[in-house]
Amino acid sequence: MPPVPLAVTTSTKVDAAQLQEARAVAARWGLPFLPRRAKEGIAPWLGTKVEALLVVGGDGVTLWEPEGSFGFHAGMAHLRLMRLRAGEPDTFVRVAELGAGDSVLDCTLGLAQDALVASLAVGPSGRVVGLEKSLALCAVAGEGLRRYERGADACAVEVVHTDAREYLRTLPSASFDVVFFDPMFAKPKKAQPAFEVLRRFAEHAPLTAETLEEARRVARRWVVVKGARYTDDLRKLGLTPEPLSRFSDVAWGRVAAHAPAKSSS
């Protein structure tokens, strides 16, 4: 039989609570659960029994595949959150003009770095929804966010496993204040092995003008797009990059939402 695309198991140091949690993770994401004997390695499973595994342990949920592994961590978002709480500016927050009570639709959740920043910027009265097409990434981010101590000054990030292009079509016009895209860069810089694993699971389809227009319909204020600094990704979409620091390797663009049609009287 061909290997299962994705399954859930426990770490080697398993107890009753961890076993229960691993089964709950499998149930939340509709994945098979594979029991694991004490000290049984998963290397022989990868590529034969399963293509990839979500391993539930004391440190959270880690995605394993034959070439490596990665798990959820706040990363640079942690530093950005500290700066925001200290009253320092954040480029995403500035470009999107985020404020308390706003609603944000993150169409490319990934590991939720920007979604975490948005959740603090909009506060507990706001709303952040993150869309992720890759089930593996969605599960890692979703489980990581469940365990992350976001603080009482931030809202929870709602995680949805879906194709953003299809999801946008189902939404009424002017559903969110800001719609955000951070497409995977087409020309990656050298990165840590864990990020290379992430890239293999991520959605690589470029943002199209059609999807951007649909996002403008759904947005009330802005559609914000992040791109690589030394590419013309933003200009291809008709976006003018925002002024940025010479030390930044990313570029930001935005386009206004479509004005609602005026009703005739």
Side-chain angles (χ1 to χ4, degrees):
M1 292 182 63
V4 174
L6 184 64
V8 177
T9 191
T10 58
S11 67
T12 52
K13 297 180 180 179
V14 64
D15 55 26
Q18 189 185 109
L19 181 61
Q20 183 179 10
E21 175 61 10
R23 290 186 181 277
V25 170
R28 276 195 290 272
W29 301 101
L31 295 170
F33 172 75
L34 302 180
R36 184 176 177 187
R37 296 189 300 272
K39 298 183 179 180
E40 181 180 12
I42 59 172
W45 294 7
L46 297 171
T48 56
K49 197 172 186 178
V50 295
E51 294 177 9
L53 268 174
L54 293 171
V55 178
V56 180
D59 57 349
V61 177
T62 305
L63 177 66
W64 285 83
E65 54 105 55
E67 300 300 319
S69 66
F70 71 86
F72 175 89
H73 56 85
M76 282 299 295
H78 180 69
L79 180 59
R80 292 169 66 189
L81 292 170
M82 288 178 60
R83 289 173 173 169
L84 264 183
R85 288 187 168 106
E88 297 181 33
D90 180 88
T91 303
F92 177 32
V93 175
R94 174 183 62 81
V95 173
E97 298 179 1
L98 295 181
D102 280 348
S103 58
V104 179
L105 180 64
D106 183 345
C107 292
T108 47
L109 181 67
L111 291 183
Q113 301 285 292
D114 290 299
L116 279 172
V117 172
S119 75
L120 177 59
V122 304
S125 63
R127 185 186 183 204
V128 177
V129 177
L131 313 180
E132 178 53 56
K133 184 176 180 180
S134 165
L135 179 57
L137 292 187
C138 197
V140 170
E143 294 302 320
L145 288 168
R146 285 175 63 88
R147 295 161 175 77
Y148 183 74
E149 294 290 339
R150 68 177 185 274
D153 53 353
C155 69
V157 178
E158 304 167 38
V159 178
V160 182
H161 173 229
T162 187
D163 182 294
R165 290 163 292 189
E166 298 299 325
Y167 190 85
L168 284 166
R169 295 190 185 105
T170 70
L171 295 174
S173 298
S175 298
F176 287 84
D177 292 299
V178 173
V179 179
F180 172 64
F181 294 92
D182 178 15
M184 184 63 69
F185 295 166
K187 298 179 180 179
K189 298 174 67 175
K190 289 185 178 179
Q192 296 295 322
F195 186 74
E196 293 304 320
V197 175
L198 184 151
R199 281 188 63 85
R200 283 193 283 277
F201 284 89
E203 166 71 11
H204 290 274
L207 175 60
T208 64
E210 179 186 13
T211 301
L212 187 64
E213 285 300 295
E214 194 67 25
R216 292 182 69 190
R217 180 189 64 79
V218 170
R220 284 192 285 266
R221 188 162 66 239
W222 297 110
V223 177
V224 176
V225 183
K226 185 194 288 188
R229 177 170 188 161
Y230 299 106
T231 70
D232 58 356
D233 293 345
L234 296 181
R235 296 188 186 280
K236 284 179 179 178
L237 293 166
L239 303 176
T240 301
E242 295 286 312
L244 73 165
S245 163
R246 62 189 178 92
F247 300 108
S248 175
D249 59 359
V250 299
W252 298 81
R254 71 179 185 181
V255 62
H258 283 309
K262 295 182 179 180
S263 60
S264 57
S265 56

